[in-house]
Every structure is written in C-alpha cells, then in structure tokens.
Amino acid sequence: MARQLRIRLGEGKVGEVRCAPPALEMLAGPGSPEPEAGPPPPTAAVRARRFGRQMIALIEAVPAGADALALTLAGAVEQAGQRAGLVSLDRENRLGLRLGLPARAPAWQWKQASPELLVRQGLRVVVPGPSTEAEVGGDAVEGVLHLAGEAADVLVVDLGCRWEPRLFRPVLLRADTIWLITRAGQWTGTEMRLEQAEFSGWTAMRRVKLVVVGNGPPPPPGLDVPVAGTLSQPSGDAALAFVVHELGRLSP
C-alpha cells in the first residue's frame, strides 16, 4: 500500500512524496536463500526395506539355537514383503518341527529335487530334511538348493551342529555368507569348526563370520575371524535388528 513520506528540501521547506513499500524480492536481497519449503506430506504407507537375493548358511560350533536364528531371518524377510526359504539340513529336521512339519521328506524327493519338497506357508517356503540322509549326496543337495532358491528371495540353510563335507560342500560353495554360531565362552568347539572349514579347501573363509549367543568373555584373538554380532538370544527384537542390518549389508 502506498503511503506519504515527508522529506526535508532545505531552508525550512518540507515536501511530501508518495511511495510504495519495497517488493519482497528486494527485502530478501541478492543471493538470499529462498524460504524453506515445509515438510512433504506423509505418504499413505511406508515401504519396508527390500533385500537382494542371497543365501545364508548356518553352522553351529556348539548347540546355540541356529534354528531360532533361521526363523528370525525368515521373519525379517517376510516383514519386507519378500519370500523366505528355509532348508532343514541339520539331521534332526529342527525347522520342520518348529513349523509344524514333523514328517521328513522322502529321500527320493531330495534326490530328484521334486517340487513336492516345497511346503508353502504364506511368504515362507520350507524344505523339510530328508528321511534317509545317507541316501542323499552332494548332487541332490545342489538340486534342492536350486529349486528352493528359485522359489525364495532369501534362502537360509540350517546345517546343524556338525561338519558333513558330503552335504556341506554344495551349500558352502553357494552361500553368500556363512554364520558360525556359538555360545560365549565355548571357543574350543569354535576353533574346531574353523579348522574344519579352512582345511576343507572349498570353504571361502572370507565369507565366514562368527555369531556369538549369550553373555561372556569376548572371542580370543587367535580365532582370526570377524564377529558379525553378539546376541543375548537368537530371537527377539535385538536379534531381528541384527539380521535386518546383515541382510541389508549383503544386499547389492
């Protein structure tokens, strides 16, 4: 809005001129930052983080709840809206038992990598262990891994608390990461598993990481393997946060 402005003309004379207020651009001055925009409107839904296709092998140095950790992994994948594959190859069919599949799969289904092996539970695909493990060789395991990998975005294989080269080799050759799971303070069993892996000649040791369950002293420096995480238990919020971080780190 224009207004009157009084100015002195000299020798006691005063005049008035009409003037308009300066434009907002002039008030800002040259080079002044533009006013900050407000926060964007919230989206209708927040998308869960998605993970790249990958395979994780779980081996226990001592009984440490690898099957529970496998289910935590599957839960993280499912929360992201992706398909989780669980292969029970621990001799005791622990994952099958936990998921209501107490009957092991016929050995012929493993040997033929039959689609009947895949038990679908929502976004989850479960492969129960073979009924007669002695009849299953490395070629059969390779076929089952291919079958399950085609059906899942993230594949988790529970190998149990043992070292069985005939069955482990195809798993460890394909795994993107190998978690050696132990309990705090149980380092003798851990050292033995690491020696078995290193001496095998086909285990890529750069992919091996230690997951420690429970409270206790830290791993001795002689283990010479990175610790992916230390968990009070293999399930729960802390374990879930750990696996989400690791899955994201492994994603391309």
Side-chain angles (χ1 to χ4, degrees):
M1 177 183 294
R3 59 182 179 177
Q4 299 287 341
L5 179 66
R6 295 172 62 85
I7 59 175
R8 186 176 298 277
L9 301 176
E11 298 182 0
K13 297 181 181 180
V14 176
E16 294 183 352
V17 296
R18 293 172 61 83
C19 64
L24 292 178
E25 292 81 356
M26 296 178 63
L27 286 175
S32 299
E34 296 181 358
E36 293 184 5
T43 57
V46 179
R47 292 183 179 179
R49 181 174 185 175
R50 294 185 66 82
F51 309 113
R53 293 182 72 89
Q54 53 192 283
M55 179 174 141
I56 301 174
L58 308 181
I59 306 173
E60 288 175 321
V62 296
D67 51 334
L69 188 58
L71 293 179
T72 302
L73 280 160
V77 175
E78 291 165 357
Q79 286 185 21
Q82 294 177 267
R83 300 167 300 170
L86 293 166
V87 179
S88 185
L89 198 57
D90 68 309
R91 188 186 297 162
E92 298 174 1
N93 192 37
R94 296 184 300 186
L95 291 174
L97 291 170
R98 279 180 170 269
L99 297 171
L101 302 170
R104 302 186 189 192
W108 70 264
Q109 290 184 355
W110 269 78
K111 290 190 286 185
Q112 297 181 16
S114 170
E116 297 177 52
L117 276 174
L118 304 182
V119 181
R120 300 182 184 273
Q121 298 178 341
L123 287 174
R124 186 177 303 166
V125 177
V126 186
V127 179
S131 57
T132 310
E133 192 176 85
E135 297 181 18
V136 176
D139 291 343
V141 173
E142 177 67 31
V144 171
L145 293 178
H146 178 77
L147 176 72
E150 289 293 313
D153 296 301
V154 177
L155 186 62
V156 182
V157 184
D158 178 15
L159 296 172
C161 184
R162 57 175 176 159
W163 186 263
E164 177 53 73
R166 175 174 55 89
L167 304 178
F168 281 29
R169 181 171 181 169
V171 178
L172 302 186
L173 284 174
R174 292 184 52 156
D176 296 287
T177 190
I178 302 162
W179 288 357
L180 180 60
I181 306 166
T182 191
R183 292 198 173 274
Q186 300 291 320
W187 310 126
T188 301
T190 305
E191 291 173 346
M192 181 178 67
R193 287 285 181 267
L194 287 172
E195 289 176 358
Q196 290 169 325
E198 188 171 9
F199 293 159
S200 72
W202 37 258
T203 303
M205 297 304 293
R206 68 183 182 279
R207 301 182 200 160
V208 178
K209 297 186 182 300
L210 194 64
V211 178
V212 182
V213 178
N215 300 315
L223 290 181
D224 196 28
V225 64
V227 178
T230 300
L231 307 172
S232 59
Q233 56 186 2
S235 58
D237 291 341
L240 180 62
F242 162 71
V243 301
V244 167
H245 175 268
E246 288 298 303
L247 287 169
R249 186 185 63 79
L250 291 167
S251 297

